[in-house]
Amino acid sequence: MIRKLFRIGDKSSSTRTHPTPEQSPYQLMGGEIAVKRLANRFYDIMETAPEAAELLAIHPMPLDSIRERFFEFLSGWLGGPGLFEDKYGHPRLRARHLPFKIDKQMRDQWMFCMDKALDIEIDTPLLREQLRLSFASLADHMRNQPEV
Protein backbone atom coordinates (compact mmCIF):
# COMPACT_ATOMS: atom_id res chain seq x y z
CA MET A 1 0.00 0.00 0.00
CA ILE A 2 1.22 3.50 -0.80
CA ARG A 3 0.99 4.63 2.81
CA LYS A 4 4.30 2.86 3.37
CA LEU A 5 5.93 4.99 0.66
CA PHE A 6 4.98 8.29 2.26
CA ARG A 7 6.91 9.97 5.02
CA ILE A 8 4.64 10.31 8.03
CA GLY A 9 4.21 13.91 9.12
CA ASP A 10 3.95 15.66 12.47
CA LYS A 11 0.80 14.52 14.26
CA SER A 12 0.45 17.89 16.00
CA SER A 13 -0.16 19.67 12.69
CA SER A 14 -3.66 21.09 12.52
CA THR A 15 -3.71 21.14 8.70
CA ARG A 16 -2.75 17.74 7.44
CA THR A 17 -2.19 17.53 3.72
CA HIS A 18 0.00 14.45 3.89
CA PRO A 19 -0.80 10.86 4.82
CA THR A 20 -0.64 9.87 8.46
CA PRO A 21 -1.48 6.60 10.19
CA GLU A 22 -4.98 8.05 10.62
CA GLN A 23 -5.45 9.36 7.06
CA SER A 24 -4.43 7.48 3.94
CA PRO A 25 -3.82 9.10 0.55
CA TYR A 26 -7.16 7.56 -0.48
CA GLN A 27 -8.92 9.57 2.22
CA LEU A 28 -6.92 12.75 1.58
CA MET A 29 -7.81 12.61 -2.12
CA GLY A 30 -11.53 12.35 -1.35
CA GLY A 31 -12.18 8.62 -1.43
CA GLU A 32 -13.75 6.49 -4.13
CA ILE A 33 -15.01 9.30 -6.37
CA ALA A 34 -11.65 11.07 -6.45
CA VAL A 35 -9.69 7.87 -7.08
CA LYS A 36 -12.05 6.93 -9.91
CA ARG A 37 -11.62 10.41 -11.42
CA LEU A 38 -7.82 10.02 -11.29
CA ALA A 39 -7.95 6.59 -12.96
CA ASN A 40 -10.28 7.82 -15.69
CA ARG A 41 -8.33 11.04 -16.24
CA PHE A 42 -5.14 8.96 -16.65
CA TYR A 43 -6.73 6.91 -19.44
CA ASP A 44 -8.40 9.96 -21.01
CA ILE A 45 -4.95 11.50 -21.37
CA MET A 46 -3.45 8.26 -22.68
CA GLU A 47 -6.18 8.05 -25.35
CA THR A 48 -5.70 11.61 -26.60
CA ALA A 49 -2.03 12.54 -26.08
CA PRO A 50 0.30 11.85 -29.01
CA GLU A 51 3.09 11.59 -26.39
CA ALA A 52 1.50 8.33 -25.17
CA ALA A 53 0.76 6.67 -28.52
CA GLU A 54 3.04 3.66 -28.00
CA LEU A 55 1.71 3.14 -24.50
CA LEU A 56 -1.88 3.24 -25.73
CA ALA A 57 -1.05 0.74 -28.46
CA ILE A 58 -0.22 -2.02 -25.95
CA HIS A 59 -3.54 -1.69 -24.14
CA PRO A 60 -6.60 -3.78 -25.02
CA MET A 61 -9.46 -1.87 -26.60
CA PRO A 62 -11.90 -0.67 -25.57
CA LEU A 63 -10.35 0.62 -22.36
CA ASP A 64 -13.48 0.17 -20.20
CA SER A 65 -12.33 -2.93 -18.31
CA ILE A 66 -8.74 -1.70 -17.85
CA ARG A 67 -10.03 1.62 -16.49
CA GLU A 68 -12.08 -0.28 -13.91
CA ARG A 69 -9.18 -2.56 -12.93
CA PHE A 70 -6.86 0.44 -12.59
CA PHE A 71 -9.37 2.17 -10.33
CA GLU A 72 -9.69 -1.02 -8.25
CA PHE A 73 -5.91 -1.31 -7.97
CA LEU A 74 -5.49 2.36 -7.04
CA SER A 75 -8.18 2.05 -4.39
CA GLY A 76 -6.15 -0.46 -2.39
CA TRP A 77 -2.73 0.96 -3.27
CA LEU A 78 -3.77 4.36 -1.97
CA GLY A 79 -5.02 2.93 1.32
CA GLY A 80 -8.70 2.46 0.54
CA PRO A 81 -10.71 -0.73 0.03
CA GLY A 82 -8.73 -3.57 -1.55
CA LEU A 83 -11.11 -3.96 -4.49
CA PHE A 84 -8.52 -5.42 -6.87
CA GLU A 85 -7.28 -7.94 -4.31
CA ASP A 86 -10.83 -9.00 -3.50
CA LYS A 87 -11.51 -9.81 -7.16
CA TYR A 88 -8.15 -10.95 -8.52
CA GLY A 89 -5.84 -11.66 -5.58
CA HIS A 90 -2.49 -10.00 -4.99
CA PRO A 91 -1.71 -7.49 -7.76
CA ARG A 92 1.71 -9.00 -8.63
CA LEU A 93 2.11 -5.99 -10.90
CA ARG A 94 5.52 -6.82 -12.26
CA ALA A 95 4.52 -10.40 -13.08
CA ARG A 96 1.26 -9.26 -14.70
CA HIS A 97 3.18 -6.85 -16.93
CA LEU A 98 6.00 -9.19 -17.97
CA PRO A 99 4.35 -10.00 -21.34
CA PHE A 100 4.82 -6.33 -22.27
CA LYS A 101 8.16 -4.70 -23.02
CA ILE A 102 8.36 -1.89 -20.51
CA ASP A 103 11.44 0.21 -21.12
CA LYS A 104 12.35 3.76 -20.13
CA GLN A 105 10.23 5.15 -23.00
CA MET A 106 7.11 3.25 -21.85
CA ARG A 107 7.78 4.27 -18.26
CA ASP A 108 8.12 7.89 -19.33
CA GLN A 109 4.90 7.76 -21.36
CA TRP A 110 3.07 6.25 -18.39
CA MET A 111 4.43 8.97 -16.11
CA PHE A 112 3.51 11.65 -18.67
CA CYS A 113 -0.12 10.52 -18.40
CA MET A 114 -0.01 10.21 -14.62
CA ASP A 115 1.71 13.58 -14.16
CA LYS A 116 -0.98 15.29 -16.24
CA ALA A 117 -3.75 13.43 -14.39
CA LEU A 118 -2.29 14.41 -11.01
CA ASP A 119 -1.96 18.04 -12.09
CA ILE A 120 -5.65 18.11 -13.00
CA GLU A 121 -7.17 15.97 -10.25
CA ILE A 122 -5.10 16.66 -7.10
CA ASP A 123 -5.47 20.19 -5.76
CA THR A 124 -3.16 19.93 -2.75
CA PRO A 125 0.44 20.58 -3.89
CA LEU A 126 2.12 18.50 -1.17
CA LEU A 127 -0.16 15.50 -1.72
CA ARG A 128 0.23 15.81 -5.50
CA GLU A 129 4.04 15.77 -5.23
CA GLN A 130 4.06 12.86 -2.77
CA LEU A 131 1.81 10.89 -5.12
CA ARG A 132 4.01 11.82 -8.08
CA LEU A 133 7.10 10.45 -6.31
CA SER A 134 5.29 7.27 -5.32
CA PHE A 135 3.95 6.71 -8.83
CA ALA A 136 7.43 7.33 -10.27
CA SER A 137 8.86 4.69 -7.97
CA LEU A 138 6.14 2.26 -9.03
CA ALA A 139 6.71 3.03 -12.72
CA ASP A 140 10.45 2.46 -12.32
CA HIS A 141 9.75 -0.88 -10.65
CA MET A 142 7.67 -1.98 -13.64
CA ARG A 143 10.52 -1.63 -16.13
CA ASN A 144 11.56 -5.02 -17.46
CA GLN A 145 13.83 -4.02 -20.35
CA PRO A 146 17.46 -2.93 -20.03
CA GLU A 147 18.45 0.62 -20.84
CA VAL A 148 19.72 0.90 -24.39
Side-chain angles (χ1 to χ4, degrees):
M1 170 172 28
I2 195 173
R3 192 171 18 197
K4 295 176 186 173
L5 299 175
F6 281 82
R7 194 172 80 209
I8 303 302
D10 178 6
K11 287 185 181 181
S12 65
S13 175
S14 61
T15 57
R16 292 191 185 127
T17 57
H18 54 274
T20 66
E22 296 81 29
Q23 273 197 299
S24 67
Y26 178 89
Q27 293 164 317
L28 288 171
M29 288 173 61
E32 179 180 345
I33 292 169
V35 173
K36 189 166 277 218
R37 273 196 324 258
L38 179 64
N40 283 322
R41 179 74 66 183
F42 172 84
Y43 279 104
D44 291 346
I45 292 165
M46 186 189 301
E47 283 186 296
T48 59
E51 297 89 340
E54 293 87 0
L55 180 63
L56 177 63
I58 67 170
H59 283 77
M61 295 295 166
L63 293 174
D64 300 343
S65 65
I66 198 83
R67 284 173 183 265
E68 184 64 19
R69 279 189 301 233
F70 190 49
F71 156 69
E72 292 166 347
F73 166 75
L74 287 179
S75 176
W77 191 71
L78 292 165
L83 305 173
F84 186 94
E85 293 85 355
D86 291 347
K87 280 187 180 178
Y88 308 105
H90 190 281
R92 299 174 22 248
L93 287 182
R94 201 159 151 79
R96 289 179 194 268
H97 288 81
L98 280 176
F100 308 100
K101 291 183 178 183
I102 302 174
D103 57 10
K104 183 181 183 310
Q105 179 179 330
M106 284 295 166
R107 178 255 186 232
D108 290 350
Q109 288 184 29
W110 194 92
M111 280 305 302
F112 172 86
C113 297
M114 184 52 71
D115 284 341
K116 297 287 184 199
L118 289 170
D119 288 344
I120 295 166
E121 297 298 335
I122 307 298
D123 294 331
T124 308
L126 179 58
L127 178 60
R128 183 173 51 244
E129 290 312 307
Q130 289 175 321
L131 288 170
R132 194 180 316 279
L133 290 171
S134 295
F135 278 120
S137 179
L138 178 66
D140 284 333
H141 175 71
M142 299 305 294
R143 288 176 53 186
N144 58 27
Q145 299 295 304
E147 194 129 355
V148 182

